[in-house]
Amino acid sequence: MEDGKLTVRAVERALDILLCFTQAEDLSLTEIAGRVGLHKSTVHRLLASLEGKGFVIRDPASERYRLGFSIWELSANLTHSDDPALILLPEMERLRDQIGETVSLYVRDGMERVRVQAVQSNQAIRRVAPIGARLPLYVGASSKILVAFAESDEQQALLRHPTWPPAAASESYLQQLSEVRTLGYATSVEEREPGAAAVSAPIFDRAQRLVAALAVSGPSNRLTVEKMKEQAPLLMETARRMGKMLK
């Protein structure tokens, strides 16, 4: 039993190391150890195993690590014809061209939201949205959508979760969720990141189940509250059209 626990722990630690690369293209041993909270000697051994299987590559010159080809071999089988992130991509590109800002697609995973697809703005100053990024579920326009339109029991479980900040379960926050359900969209201005703003709408499938949150984001000096209100009808119409494309 003890050996089994150690084996599982090693797997979890190795996966934690791989997840570090959702936020950075390459990392040093020290940076990885700091992110996962382990001694460098332990991380070095795990990286050696991952490197041996092709999951990471070490640059001998810089001593930095990046994802290896085994990751791409696995991901080749990830995208199928029924993958929403692939099916909805053309509509996201169309919306980006109409609005001129970065468009993202988010889904809820536990107490976080994950960006599963993104189309970057073509403007010089733009909101960069890396795919795979995990963000807090209690702040931001897309988070409000994923919480506001969740099933009642799921919503209550989120609000009562030990990690949910008390401020995000206040009366004012609940009022925001009510307004989001009434309006059909949510906005945020510098809630999670200074200088950034976003507007988001829900995507429901044909059975009216919440699938994802569609968001437009950009610099707050360009994506103003008034601008987001103007864009909301187009965003919601795109989200409705996307929902009809899903089973």
Side-chain angles (χ1 to χ4, degrees), residues 16 20 34 45 71 89 96 112-113 125 129 131 225 228 238:
D16 285 340
C20 287
R45 289 195 298 270
I71 293 290
L89 183 58
R96 184 271 314 273
E112 297 176 306
R113 58 181 163 111
I125 300 176
I131 297 173
V225 173
M228 289 190 284
T238 301

Side-chain angles (χ1 to χ4, degrees), residues 12-244:
E12 290 176 343
R13 288 174 170 177
L15 292 174
D16 285 340
I17 288 174
L18 292 177
L19 289 172
C20 287
F21 293 94
T22 61
Q23 302 293 332
E25 184 175 330
D26 59 77
L27 294 164
S28 68
L29 172 62
T30 301
E31 289 171 335
I32 295 171
R35 293 188 181 209
V36 298
L38 297 173
H39 292 297
K40 288 198 289 186
S41 59
T42 301
V43 173
H44 187 268
R45 289 195 298 270
L46 292 168
L47 283 169
S49 296
L50 290 170
E51 186 178 7
K53 292 294 185 179
F55 285 97
V56 298
I57 296 173
R58 182 177 61 87
D59 185 338
S62 65
E63 293 293 327
R64 296 180 72 83
Y65 293 83
R66 57 187 173 85
L67 292 177
F69 295 112
S70 291
I71 293 290
W72 311 123
E73 290 174 353
L74 287 176
S75 65
N77 294 318
L78 177 64
T79 300
H80 302 283
S81 60
D82 59 349
D83 182 1
L86 179 64
I87 294 172
L88 303 179
L89 183 58
E91 285 292 338
M92 294 176 66
E93 292 174 337
R94 177 180 173 183
L95 182 62
R96 184 271 314 273
D97 294 341
Q98 290 174 310
I99 292 181
E101 301 291 356
T102 296
V103 178
S104 300
L105 191 68
Y106 293 93
V107 298
R108 181 170 72 86
D109 183 19
M111 300 300 294
E112 297 176 306
R113 58 181 163 111
V114 184
R115 187 181 294 117
V116 295
Q117 188 61 278
V119 179
Q120 310 295 341
S121 167
N122 292 324
Q123 303 200 49
I125 300 176
R126 61 188 176 184
R127 184 86 171 82
V128 177
I131 297 173
R134 289 178 170 270
L135 304 170
L137 194 60
Y138 53 81
V139 65
S142 296
S143 291
K144 294 175 190 175
I145 290 295
L146 294 173
V147 176
F149 290 98
E151 294 293 334
S152 179
D153 56 341
E154 292 181 351
Q155 186 183 102
Q156 290 303 312
L158 290 171
L159 298 178
R160 294 171 181 169
H161 196 275
T163 62
W164 195 265
S170 64
E171 196 64 36
S172 62
Y173 178 78
L174 296 177
Q175 180 61 35
Q176 283 187 57
L177 296 184
S178 178
E179 292 174 358
V180 167
R181 288 190 293 270
T182 299
L183 292 172
Y185 69 92
T187 61
S188 65
V189 179
E190 299 186 339
E191 290 185 6
R192 189 182 63 83
E193 182 180 341
V199 55
S200 181
I203 298 177
F204 298 99
D205 63 15
R206 296 177 185 177
Q208 290 303 298
R209 293 170 298 198
L210 179 65
V211 176
L214 177 67
V216 171
S217 60
S220 56
N221 62 347
R222 191 168 67 218
L223 200 58
T224 62
V225 173
E226 293 74 18
K227 191 69 173 178
M228 289 190 284
K229 287 181 179 179
E230 292 176 10
Q231 295 173 346
L234 178 58
L235 175 66
M236 290 189 290
E237 176 55 34
T238 301
R240 281 192 290 268
R241 194 163 54 245
M242 287 178 164
K244 293 179 181 178

